[in-house]
Amino acid sequence: SKKIRIGIVGYGNLGRGVETAVKKTPDIELVAVFTRRDPAAVKTNDPNVRVFHVDDAVKYTDKIDVMILCGGSSSDLPKQGPEFLKLFNTVDSFDTHAKIPEYFETMDAVAKSSKKIGIISVGWDPGLFSMNRMLTEAILPDGVGYTFWGKGVSQGHSDAIRRVEGVKNGVQYTIPKEEALEKVRAGLWPELSNRDKHLRECFVVAEEGADKEKIENEIKSMPNYFSDYETVVHFISEEELKKNHSAMPHGGRVIHTAVTGEGNKQIVEFSIKLDSNPEFTSSILVAYARAAYTMYNEGHIGAKTVFDVPLSYLSYKPAAQLRKELL
Ligand code: NDP
């Protein structure tokens, strides 16, 4: 039968991840990549993939079923989300937590007038982690949920380090604290501040002659990013950074600890350990593109989140097959 035709908007880490994730699916094909840069200058992993300028996307409205938007959350998606949803069904990974309700409203209004579907904020957090928090809280309301991130590279914190004067390059790892995890898993319902839950470890390449003590103090006292955390700073060479800190691993866990009946503890944990954060996130985006296609063909329009998508729609297997595999 006919494959679901997708397009990629924006060719960064997630864009590349979508390209590779599609190859692992039996039912989806990549039609083209769309970029704001000169298409000739964007080299795809698979040289056979076609690359066009975003302004030409309008010519592909009848050739693409779902556009996967792979732009950054801070400035790309607020603009590209509504623009592309006017023309295509979309899936994106908008992850600016505080602005999700506002983004949803904007996308919903666009989708209702263009009669398309736009699944927003897909990924692992927000995304799979949100689903797990919601599921366990719905089942076990008398409880407390905890989310731990890491060990993994935080792009935002790495960018913040690189903006410090005298810093040539840098990478930041978010690391969950074992003591905190143990208390949570034991069902002690600890009250945990950010500082109690996570450690921040920075690997920094300083410029020639830069004052390392000043750099370290400036990083550790940076508000929002580091001042509320225990932060460790290591100075290393550029070669060492390239060799040991170029990958984008990540991970994390959602733990719900609750009681039922006469005080029986019920502890549920969902965890992930990733060699490549972008390739994992992209694989989720691709599964949701399949769901967007099915929901759209059933007449659903508007903005949706992971909470609104039936689980079976993510699978390439028919519903009857999934029922056989229930147990
Ligand atoms: P990138 O910075 O790699 O890419 C963002 C955009 O930048 C691309 O779409 C691309 O657009 C442009 N770009 C990429 N490379 C270059 C380059 N060499 N020169 C110029 N422009 C370039 O971001 P990521 O793909 O890593 O992440 C995208 C978003 O995904 C993040 O902002 C984050 O919010 C979200 N995310 C969400 C997760 C979740 O769990 N929900 C997990 C991980 C990420 P163009 O081709 O048009 O130039």
Side-chain angles (χ1 to χ4, degrees), residues 140-144 189 256-260 264-267:
L140 300 166
D142 188 4
V144 184
W189 297 288
H256 191 68
T257 61
V259 283
T260 58
N264 289 309
K265 280 183 187 171
Q266 318 281 20
I267 300 182

Short mmCIF file of all heavy atoms in Angstrom, two decimals, residues 140-144 189 256-260 264-267:
data_model
loop_
_atom_site.label_atom_id
_atom_site.label_comp_id
_atom_site.label_asym_id
_atom_site.label_seq_id
_atom_site.Cartn_x
_atom_site.Cartn_y
_atom_site.Cartn_z
N LEU A 140 -2.85 6.72 40.12
CA LEU A 140 -2.48 6.76 41.54
C LEU A 140 -2.46 8.21 42.04
O LEU A 140 -1.40 8.82 42.21
CB LEU A 140 -1.09 6.13 41.73
CG LEU A 140 -0.96 4.66 41.31
CD1 LEU A 140 0.51 4.25 41.22
CD2 LEU A 140 -1.70 3.75 42.29
N PRO A 141 -3.66 8.80 42.25
CA PRO A 141 -3.70 10.23 42.60
C PRO A 141 -3.10 10.54 43.97
O PRO A 141 -2.65 11.66 44.19
CB PRO A 141 -5.20 10.57 42.56
CG PRO A 141 -5.91 9.27 42.58
CD PRO A 141 -5.00 8.23 42.04
N ASP A 142 -3.08 9.55 44.87
CA ASP A 142 -2.51 9.81 46.20
C ASP A 142 -1.01 9.51 46.15
O ASP A 142 -0.55 8.48 46.63
CB ASP A 142 -3.22 8.93 47.24
CG ASP A 142 -2.80 9.29 48.66
OD1 ASP A 142 -2.04 10.26 48.84
OD2 ASP A 142 -3.24 8.59 49.59
N GLY A 143 -0.26 10.43 45.53
CA GLY A 143 1.16 10.17 45.39
C GLY A 143 1.92 11.40 44.98
O GLY A 143 1.35 12.49 44.84
N VAL A 144 3.20 11.24 44.78
CA VAL A 144 4.07 12.34 44.38
C VAL A 144 4.91 11.89 43.18
O VAL A 144 5.43 10.77 43.17
CB VAL A 144 5.02 12.77 45.52
CG1 VAL A 144 5.85 13.98 45.11
CG2 VAL A 144 4.25 13.05 46.81
N TRP A 189 9.12 10.08 49.92
CA TRP A 189 8.54 11.37 49.51
C TRP A 189 9.37 12.55 49.98
O TRP A 189 8.86 13.45 50.68
CB TRP A 189 7.09 11.49 50.00
CG TRP A 189 6.22 10.47 49.39
CD1 TRP A 189 5.80 10.43 48.10
CD2 TRP A 189 5.70 9.29 50.02
NE1 TRP A 189 5.06 9.30 47.88
CE2 TRP A 189 4.98 8.60 49.03
CE3 TRP A 189 5.78 8.77 51.30
CZ2 TRP A 189 4.34 7.40 49.29
CZ3 TRP A 189 5.14 7.57 51.57
CH2 TRP A 189 4.43 6.89 50.58
N HIS A 256 6.93 7.80 39.95
CA HIS A 256 5.73 8.16 40.70
C HIS A 256 5.67 7.26 41.92
O HIS A 256 5.74 6.04 41.79
CB HIS A 256 4.48 7.98 39.83
CG HIS A 256 3.26 8.58 40.44
ND1 HIS A 256 3.10 9.94 40.60
CD2 HIS A 256 2.15 8.01 40.96
CE1 HIS A 256 1.92 10.18 41.18
NE2 HIS A 256 1.33 9.02 41.40
N THR A 257 5.58 7.85 43.09
CA THR A 257 5.53 7.04 44.31
C THR A 257 4.22 7.37 45.02
O THR A 257 3.96 8.53 45.36
CB THR A 257 6.73 7.34 45.24
OG1 THR A 257 6.69 8.71 45.62
CG2 THR A 257 8.04 7.06 44.53
N ALA A 258 3.38 6.35 45.19
CA ALA A 258 2.03 6.60 45.69
C ALA A 258 1.63 5.56 46.72
O ALA A 258 2.35 4.58 46.94
CB ALA A 258 1.06 6.57 44.52
N VAL A 259 0.49 5.80 47.35
CA VAL A 259 -0.07 4.78 48.24
C VAL A 259 -1.50 4.45 47.81
O VAL A 259 -2.23 5.30 47.32
CB VAL A 259 -0.11 5.21 49.72
CG1 VAL A 259 1.27 5.11 50.35
CG2 VAL A 259 -0.69 6.60 49.89
N THR A 260 -1.87 3.19 48.03
CA THR A 260 -3.25 2.76 47.85
C THR A 260 -3.65 2.04 49.13
O THR A 260 -2.79 1.66 49.94
CB THR A 260 -3.40 1.79 46.66
OG1 THR A 260 -2.55 0.66 46.88
CG2 THR A 260 -3.05 2.46 45.35
N ASN A 264 -0.29 0.89 51.31
CA ASN A 264 0.62 0.10 50.46
C ASN A 264 1.32 1.02 49.48
O ASN A 264 0.67 1.78 48.75
CB ASN A 264 -0.16 -0.98 49.70
CG ASN A 264 -0.63 -2.07 50.63
OD1 ASN A 264 0.16 -2.61 51.41
ND2 ASN A 264 -1.92 -2.37 50.57
N LYS A 265 2.64 0.94 49.47
CA LYS A 265 3.41 1.78 48.56
C LYS A 265 3.39 1.20 47.15
O LYS A 265 3.58 0.00 46.97
CB LYS A 265 4.87 1.87 49.02
CG LYS A 265 5.07 2.85 50.15
CD LYS A 265 6.54 2.97 50.54
CE LYS A 265 6.64 3.83 51.79
NZ LYS A 265 7.99 3.82 52.36
N GLN A 266 3.19 2.08 46.17
CA GLN A 266 3.19 1.67 44.76
C GLN A 266 4.17 2.60 44.05
O GLN A 266 3.95 3.81 43.99
CB GLN A 266 1.80 1.82 44.14
CG GLN A 266 0.64 1.37 45.02
CD GLN A 266 0.43 -0.14 45.04
OE1 GLN A 266 1.33 -0.92 44.71
NE2 GLN A 266 -0.75 -0.57 45.44
N ILE A 267 5.24 2.03 43.55
CA ILE A 267 6.28 2.87 42.93
C ILE A 267 6.43 2.49 41.46
O ILE A 267 6.64 1.32 41.13
CB ILE A 267 7.61 2.73 43.69
CG1 ILE A 267 7.39 3.19 45.15
CG2 ILE A 267 8.72 3.54 43.01
CD1 ILE A 267 8.59 3.16 46.04
#
